[in-house]
Amino acid sequence: MAVAELYPSYTKTTIHSSSSQLSTRLSNRRRLSLRSLSRAQNGRVFCSVVSNQVQAPVAVQSEEAKKKPECYGVFCLTYDLKAEDETKSWKKLINIAVSGAAGMISNHLLFKLASGEVFGPNQPIALKLLGSERSFQALEGVAMELEDSLFPLLREVSISIDPYDVFQDVDWALLIGAKPRGPGMERASLLDLNGKIFADQGKALNAVASRNVKVLVVGNPCNTNALICLKNAPNIPAKNFHALTRLDENRAKCQLALEAGVFYDKVSNVTIWGNHSTTQVPDFLNARINGLPVKEVINDIKWLEKEFTERVQKRGGVLIQKWGRSSAASTAVSIVDAIRSLVTPTPEGDWFSSGVYTKGNPYGIAEDLVFSMPCRSKGDGDYELVKDVIFDDYLLNRIRKSEAELLAEKKCVAHLTGEGIAVCDLPEDTMLPGEM
């Protein structure tokens, strides 16, 4: 699921070195990073792209940085925070962690984040990239590309295979990295395999992240992975955890627009209910086209109930058949859309979909799940559930099926959420969108 722009002034962080130095760094808590902005004392930075109204802080290579053999280029620059405080048009720097940072989705997403497209043209960011030991060299390459892109808002890049390093003081955690489902692998096995990853990441977030960190889980099965993560992070509000269902919402809007013969911006109030699997429920009952209920614009109820629903549910798999690869670019765009829906006010009367914690929900959905539901935001990173929605028997029956699947998945990962012994009795082995 996103594009790019340039604005006010930057620096990044990583440590590059020879293979012999790499083994030393890996043994040192597996960390690669630049000096933290908070530790910068003497440097000042000159930015090549600056608004006429802004006096940019300038940077030079500090004496301490010059002595570091692993440091080179802009990664050797530090910022004078006092000078930065004087640039009133800039916001306070935010820390963004991205797991699976060497993967295809991140390859599209990171440059959108660094450009200012996601958080705005006056929001400096630091990127903290999490990978595996096998992907560590690729992470260095990612950091080099970010460096070469000259993003003024990107002040720091650090890379590591240790989540306790990467999640330190982060304001946003975008958890993309997960194992794909291999040939012949049961869904229960995938739940256990990836669940362990997200249990560990939840513990790390709980220990070192900002207490108000916003967590977006992309790695599949994302609803249950988000539940595992939040259960292992009791010191972070459960409401701060999201599972990505925005790509499904975008796909639903596309199909409705095509059928109605309108541009997609005329489609609103689209909800994806339930699990990010083929039991998900694209809601055409509450959706609108040009402000009118969809059923008044598209009179073919059979198409809505069958063809439309199945197209959205299976779109990822069809894309793989056509192109031979997964929907990495559109997923990245949807991550951007999901974040922007939380940091910008929701248009009056509209809403967006996100997989969120069901405690206290007004729809009668079982509590203690992560379930995709309609949300609104004031633009402060928080959200509220939409109350003015309607249901019919068709919609309720579909929602109950997805609810049953998530309840079964929850039992299957009980050993990872601290709720006892796992019992895997999934109602059926449904495919994740994009699986073959």
Side-chain angles (χ1 to χ4, degrees):
M1 314 179 172
V3 183
E5 300 175 79
L6 300 176
Y7 296 93
S9 182
Y10 85 121
T11 283
K12 316 159 208 162
T13 71
T14 313
I15 295 174
H16 296 67
S17 64
S18 66
S19 58
S20 61
Q21 290 167 322
L22 176 60
S23 61
T24 302
R25 290 201 312 280
L26 284 175
S27 63
N28 183 20
R29 296 201 64 188
R30 308 289 185 185
R31 188 177 187 189
L32 251 185
S33 70
L34 261 173
R35 288 178 57 77
S36 166
L37 285 172
S38 62
R39 296 178 188 170
Q41 297 295 330
N42 302 317
R44 291 180 66 80
V45 164
F46 205 95
C47 175
S48 59
V49 183
V50 181
S51 165
N52 291 333
Q53 287 88 22
V54 177
Q55 169 138 17
V58 265
V60 295
Q61 200 172 32
S62 69
E63 289 303 315
E64 183 176 354
K66 288 178 182 178
K67 296 175 184 176
K68 298 181 70 174
E70 323 92 310
C71 189
Y72 73 92
V74 295
F75 290 138
C76 293
L77 301 180
T78 55
Y79 274 80
D80 184 332
L81 290 181
K82 184 177 180 181
E84 184 166 352
D85 287 343
E86 294 172 359
T87 60
K88 303 298 184 183
S89 70
W90 290 352
K91 297 179 181 179
K92 181 181 177 182
L93 178 139
I94 58 174
N95 294 301
I96 304 166
V98 180
S99 75
M104 290 177 60
I105 296 171
S106 296
N107 192 41
H108 295 277
L109 175 65
L110 292 173
F111 297 86
K112 299 178 186 301
L113 292 168
S115 73
E117 179 184 345
V118 184
F119 291 98
N122 60 348
Q123 178 60 73
I125 68 169
L127 287 175
K128 297 172 175 266
L129 310 183
L130 180 64
S132 63
E133 190 163 345
R134 189 173 70 172
S135 70
F136 194 79
Q137 191 170 0
L139 280 181
E140 290 187 298
V142 170
M144 291 170 69
E145 275 214 283
L146 287 167
E147 178 184 38
D148 293 345
S149 298
L150 304 180
F151 290 117
L153 292 168
L154 183 58
R155 305 304 174 78
E156 180 182 348
V157 174
S158 58
I159 64 179
S160 176
I161 66 172
D162 185 347
Y164 287 85
D165 281 343
V166 171
F167 295 157
Q168 184 72 48
D169 299 324
V170 295
D171 304 292
W172 288 81
L174 312 179
L175 306 184
I176 299 172
K179 300 280 188 182
R181 184 174 181 178
M185 180 184 289
E186 297 290 333
R187 188 174 175 89
S189 299
L190 183 68
L191 284 163
D192 180 67
L193 181 65
N194 280 330
K196 291 174 182 175
I197 295 172
F198 288 89
D200 290 342
Q201 291 181 356
K203 292 171 184 174
L205 287 165
N206 195 61
V208 300
S210 162
R211 295 303 82 181
N212 198 36
V213 61
K214 310 301 182 191
V215 182
L216 177 61
V217 176
V218 180
N220 281 321
C222 64
N223 291 62
T224 297
N225 285 340
L227 181 67
I228 293 167
C229 197
L230 75 84
K231 288 291 186 178
N232 283 277
N235 294 333
I236 298 170
K239 193 177 182 183
N240 289 15
F241 289 79
H242 296 256
L244 183 73
T245 56
R246 187 54 173 268
L247 177 55
D248 305 308
E249 178 188 324
N250 288 355
R251 287 167 170 168
K253 286 181 175 178
C254 173
Q255 294 305 311
L256 290 173
L258 286 170
E259 185 68 15
V262 300
F263 200 58
Y264 63 82
D265 65 346
K266 303 301 182 184
V267 183
S268 65
N269 303 84
V270 173
T271 307
I272 299 295
W273 296 91
N275 199 5
H276 180 63
S277 76
T278 51
T279 68
Q280 66 176 260
V281 187
D283 179 358
F284 56 82
L285 180 64
N286 289 281
R288 292 180 170 268
I289 298 174
N290 280 320
L292 297 172
V294 163
K295 289 169 67 172
E296 293 183 15
V297 179
I298 301 173
N299 303 122
D300 190 343
I301 299 302
K302 184 179 179 181
W303 181 87
L304 288 168
E305 291 185 351
K306 184 168 177 59
E307 191 169 346
F308 162 70
T309 299
E310 290 184 359
R311 278 187 187 179
V312 177
Q313 291 171 338
K314 299 178 180 179
R315 180 78 163 182
V318 172
L319 189 146
I320 289 177
Q321 289 177 332
K322 299 283 188 183
W323 202 30
R325 63 184 74 179
S326 63
S327 51
S330 55
T331 299
V333 172
S334 72
I335 294 170
V336 171
D337 291 342
I339 297 170
R340 291 181 67 180
S341 288
L342 292 169
V343 299
T344 57
T346 306
E348 184 70 27
D350 202 359
W351 59 68
F352 59 92
S353 303
S354 188
V356 295
Y357 197 48
T358 55
K359 185 175 181 179
N361 78 86
Y363 315 117
I365 295 166
E367 300 214 341
D368 206 33
L369 296 174
V370 171
F371 199 91
S372 187
M373 299 181 285
C375 304
R376 289 192 179 111
S377 177
K378 296 177 181 178
D380 56 0
D382 201 356
Y383 66 92
E384 60 183 18
L385 293 175
V386 176
K387 294 183 176 63
D388 49 333
V389 294
I390 58 175
F391 299 91
D392 60 10
D393 289 342
Y394 173 85
L395 181 58
L396 283 172
N397 289 336
R398 291 295 183 112
I399 288 174
R400 295 303 172 215
K401 182 177 180 180
S402 201
E403 177 188 57
E405 181 178 61
L406 282 169
L407 286 168
E409 288 187 11
K410 180 185 173 184
K411 291 179 182 178
C412 202
V413 299
H415 60 303
L416 298 172
T417 60
E419 297 179 3
I421 299 172
V423 178
C424 281
D425 186 21
L426 299 175
E428 59 180 295
D429 195 14
T430 56
M431 302 287 282
L432 297 168
E435 287 185 337
M436 298 298 292

